Every structure is written in C-alpha cells, then in structure tokens.
Amino acid sequence: MQPVKNLFNAREATRPIIIGLLVLTAIGASIAVLTKQWCRSNGWPDAEQHLHLCYSDFTQLFGTRGMADKLFPYFTGLPAEQALEYPVLLAILAGLTALVIPGIGFSPERQLAYFDVNSAVSFICWAVVVVAVAYAARHRSRDAIMVALAPGIILTSQLNWDLLAVMLAMTGLLAFSRKHIVLAGVLLGLGAAAKLYPFFLFGAILVLCLRTGRMRHFWVSLASGAVAWLAVNVPFMLTAFDEWSRFYTFSGDRPAGNSSMWLALVWTGMDGSTMSYLSNGLFGLACLGIAWLGLTATRRPRLAQLAFLIVAAFLLLGKVYSPQFVMWLIPLYVLARPKWREFLVWQGIEVFHWIFVWLWSAKWVSGLKYFGDSWTIEILYGLGIVAHMGMLVYLCVKIIGDIRNPERDVVRTEGLDDPLAGPLEGLEDRFVLGGS
C-alpha cells in the first residue's frame, strides 16, 4: 500500500509517480470498457444501446457516414445529410481509423473493430492528459489522480473523439507553462481544429498578458495557433469546401441539443439559427465579464481559473451540451480548484445525468417500448439537467470566490503563484482596471 500512499501524497511528477498515474488511468480505462461491454457483446441495436448506456458515435457514424466502405470524410460523395459534420482533425482521425480495419463494407465484426480501435486511441489521449496535468500542476502532481479516475471520463471517453481535443488543449497549456510560446499556440490551434473550445483558452492568456503588459506572448501564441489551424484546414477548404463547411453551417442551424438550457425555449418556436445568435451573444458578454473579473482582481488570477470559467460559460450558454463535454472541464477544474469532496459530488451528479440522458433516449427511440407512458424518466432527466448545470454554476461561483479572495486558493496556499503562467509567472502587474 505504500506506493498508493506515495501517489496520493505526491508533489513532484517523478517517474514513479507518472507510472503510478498511468496505472490508475489503465484501471479507469478498463472500467470504461466494462461499461460498454453489453454493446461489445450484443452489437449496437437502436434502443437497446441507449437502455444499456453504451451508445457510441464511433459505431453510429461508422455505418452511416461511408467509413465502413472506406470513403474518407469530406470526399465520400454521399448526400449532404450523410456528410460528417465534424471539424477537420476529428474527421481525419475518424477516417484514418476506418482505413486500418480489415475488409470493406458494414458488418458487426468490423463495427466492433472500429469501436475498439477508436477506444484505444481515446485511452491513449486520456493517458497523455493525465501526464500533462501532473506536470502542469507542478508541486501538486497528485491532483492528476482525479483525471485518471474521473467518472465523467470513464463514462464518456468512448462516446466521441473529444479526448483528442482535450489532449491538445492540455498539452498546449503545459507548453505555455514551460515557456514554449510557439508550441503552446500550435497545440491550441490544432485543438481548435478538433473542437472549438481550445481556441477560447487564448482568451485566458490574453487577460494575463494584458495585466502583465506582455502582449507579445499573446500575439505570438495566437499567430502560431492560427498558422496551425490553417495548415490543417486550408487543404480541405480548397478541395472540399461544402463538406468542410458542413460543421459550421450545421452548428449554426441545428436546434437545441439535449441537456442544453435552450431546450426550455423550444416551446417558443425559436429556430436553431436564432438560438445561435442569442447563445453567441450571451457567451460574448460572459467573456467580457470574465475579462473584467481578471483585470479587476486584487491579485492576478491563475490561468486555469480563467480557462475553466470561459469553457464553463461556453457550455452553460451553448445550444448543445453533450454528455462528453464534461471531459473538457475535468482537467481544467483539477488545475483550477483541486478539491476532492467537491469533485466527487460534481462527478456523482454527472453520473446521474448520464444515466437518465440515455434512459430518456431509450424510451423515445423505442417508441415507448421501454418505460411506457410514465413521465418518471422525463422528470428524472430534467432533474439531471438542472443538477449538472447547477453544479457547474456552483463551481464557477467558487472559482470566482477564489479569484476575489486568493488566500482561499488551495493551489496558492502551497506557495505557488500560477503553475501555468509560464513566461508571465512572478511578473508585476502593468494594467489593472480600477488600480493605480
């Protein structure tokens, strides 16, 4: 038991600690596999995959987006409704993993192989995220245990390819903490080519660069990110623009997704495009509020705190709040406010929400075969939505409190200023709103 005790008390990310964290990640990944075992054994039938909580976009898209026939995304020639509405890097990953599956055409055996290959890729990304958090946390490498065993990652790691974006985002922040400004920008830019949210992390860097008067670091990182994003996007923009742009047009026009606050306004008849304008406007206002918070705080906020608030605002105000988006937040929370009790309560709520998302879906996909006309599932699903959004608001309020009262910040109580600040760490403020 001594190795386990050492891991939970670890400060520096030494080689034995990293090995221990990878072992815990392997345990988490093994549990993740078990949660999908019913589908691995029985296939992914429409309603039953929801009932058994093992739905995966991997298997759904393999058979419906031409990948079973080894048609590469953006170049399938399929009707628009079958186009893969994903950003470039996720589309490339989805296409490449399909190419390595032996044979051609759809079959349950090839579907399972595709699922397993993409699950393995996701688990590798998960492991990299854990290591990145351990190094980024500096004297609190033990906090990465939360990422290695997070129920939110265990349940959603095989749902979609989000862990690729999470890996790029977290390695980008790690690079910034090590003063590799260009590399940080490149990784965040590539992350934005996989999912949009890593781009928002530049906002946190901007606020800190404004306060320290070191805007060059921001511009260099942003320019590097833009070059990286363009490098992977431009070839597809030039050769398959309609398919490439599908992600952006689909995101703008789609109706409110499950678990979004905008579901409460569906009764108004508001279309997806109008919701997008309102959502984007509210998010813009939230970002201005976070910037104001960062520029008026007595002590400069930590990068992870601002990053968490920005991403949380995007999810709370966004038109879509898919279950796997919790993975975007978990590593940022661990670096922003690593408190075990709070973390476990949050993850417990996410598990509750996860269960009733899929039971509600099973009910309606099955044509009321499961759970009949009872409204119990709807009530519990609604409770799950309110609880998981309410808990996220609570975490934001606590982090805002830590920014306003830095003596309560558990990271700073250990003598650290900002482990992620990199070239900005220890610098005096040059610009503070309301300051002298």
Side-chain angles (χ1 to χ4, degrees):
M1 295 299 292
Q2 189 59 40
V4 175
K5 183 177 180 180
N6 291 341
L7 189 57
F8 276 84
N9 293 318
R11 289 177 58 83
E12 303 294 338
T14 61
R15 183 177 179 182
I17 296 305
I18 295 299
I19 292 173
L21 288 169
L22 291 175
V23 170
L24 291 183
T25 307
I27 293 172
S30 299
I31 297 172
V33 171
L34 291 177
T35 66
K36 305 297 184 286
Q37 191 56 37
W38 188 91
C39 283
R40 292 190 73 257
S41 299
N42 298 278
W44 280 264
D46 286 343
E48 285 72 18
Q49 62 180 320
H50 299 266
L51 183 67
H52 292 277
L53 316 179
C54 53
Y55 170 89
S56 173
D57 285 337
F58 298 160
T59 55
Q60 177 71 16
L61 298 176
F62 179 68
T64 60
R65 297 297 191 270
M67 289 179 286
D69 296 316
K70 298 196 174 181
L71 300 177
F72 202 80
Y74 297 170
F75 301 101
T76 63
L78 294 172
E81 62 271 16
Q82 287 185 261
L84 186 64
E85 63 277 9
Y86 280 14
V88 165
L89 278 191
L90 292 196
I92 291 173
L93 177 59
L96 289 178
T97 51
L99 293 178
V100 304
I101 306 301
I104 193 168
F106 181 85
S107 69
E109 294 77 17
R110 296 191 74 238
Q111 182 186 45
L112 175 59
Y114 187 72
F115 174 80
D116 287 344
V117 168
N118 282 285
S119 295
V121 172
S122 292
F123 295 155
I124 291 170
C125 292
W126 183 0
V128 174
V129 171
V130 170
V131 173
V133 169
Y135 281 115
R138 203 178 298 177
H139 300 322
R140 294 184 59 96
S141 63
R142 61 187 178 276
D143 294 336
I145 296 172
M146 297 184 194
V147 184
L149 296 175
I153 301 180
I154 289 172
L155 290 176
T156 66
S157 57
Q158 298 162 279
L159 179 55
N160 200 285
W161 291 274
D162 288 63
L163 274 170
L164 173 64
V166 178
M167 179 188 72
L168 291 167
M170 298 316 300
T171 52
L173 292 181
L174 175 61
F176 191 84
S177 75
R178 298 302 175 92
K179 305 181 182 179
H180 301 304
I181 311 303
V182 172
L183 177 60
V186 167
L187 290 168
L188 292 177
L190 291 175
K195 286 284 184 177
L196 187 57
Y197 94 91
F199 172 75
F200 301 138
L201 302 184
F202 286 112
I205 295 173
L206 171 61
V207 171
L208 298 185
C209 288
L210 280 171
R211 281 196 64 143
T212 57
R214 300 298 178 92
M215 286 300 296
R216 179 179 178 276
H217 296 317
F218 169 73
W219 292 118
V220 169
S221 64
L222 182 63
S224 302
V227 170
W229 187 90
L230 289 170
V232 296
N233 277 273
V234 167
F236 294 94
M237 294 169 66
L238 295 177
T239 58
F241 183 82
D242 289 343
E243 291 81 359
W244 171 85
S245 62
R246 171 70 174 158
F247 165 71
Y248 301 98
T249 57
F250 175 77
S251 298
D253 297 338
R254 70 183 298 178
N258 295 342
S259 302
S260 162
M261 76 169 193
W262 296 95
L263 278 178
L265 297 177
V266 170
W267 64 272
T268 66
M270 189 184 306
D271 62 21
S273 179
T274 303
M275 286 184 180
S276 290
Y277 285 120
L278 292 174
S279 171
N280 294 338
L282 290 173
F283 176 58
L285 291 174
C287 288
L288 289 176
I290 294 167
W292 177 85
L293 172 69
L295 294 172
T296 58
T298 304
R299 185 173 181 181
R300 191 162 63 240
R302 291 188 293 106
L303 180 56
Q305 293 172 322
L306 294 174
F308 182 92
L309 292 176
I310 293 169
V311 176
F314 179 67
L315 294 182
L316 288 169
L317 300 172
K319 205 169 54 174
V320 179
Y321 195 163
S322 299
Q324 74 270 19
F325 291 175
V326 69
M327 294 191 292
W328 303 2
L329 291 167
I330 288 171
L332 294 175
Y333 172 84
V334 169
L335 292 171
R337 185 179 161 84
K339 291 197 171 186
W340 268 102
R341 181 179 299 178
E342 192 173 86
F343 177 74
L344 291 175
V345 171
W346 174 35
Q347 293 299 290
I349 290 172
E350 289 295 334
V351 171
F352 179 87
H353 171 253
W354 165 267
I355 290 171
F356 287 102
V357 164
W358 297 115
L359 294 187
W360 173 82
S361 183
K363 174 179 177 177
W364 292 102
V365 170
S366 69
L368 305 185
K369 173 184 176 182
Y370 298 112
F371 310 111
D373 295 327
S374 170
W375 285 90
T376 302
I377 294 298
E378 280 78 6
I379 292 171
L380 292 172
Y381 174 43
L383 179 62
I385 295 174
V386 172
H388 95 129
M389 296 189 78
M391 186 65 192
L392 184 51
V393 170
Y394 171 84
L395 295 178
C396 290
V397 169
K398 300 301 287 186
I399 289 174
I400 291 171
D402 290 343
I403 292 173
R404 286 302 189 188
N405 302 278
E407 69 278 1
R408 298 188 338 210
D409 186 340
V410 295
V411 173
R412 282 178 162 155
T413 55
E414 294 201 4
L416 297 172
D417 177 33
D418 184 354
L420 290 182
L424 309 177
E425 187 174 15
L427 296 181
E428 293 184 2
D429 286 328
R430 300 286 297 275
F431 176 72
V432 180
L433 288 178
S436 56

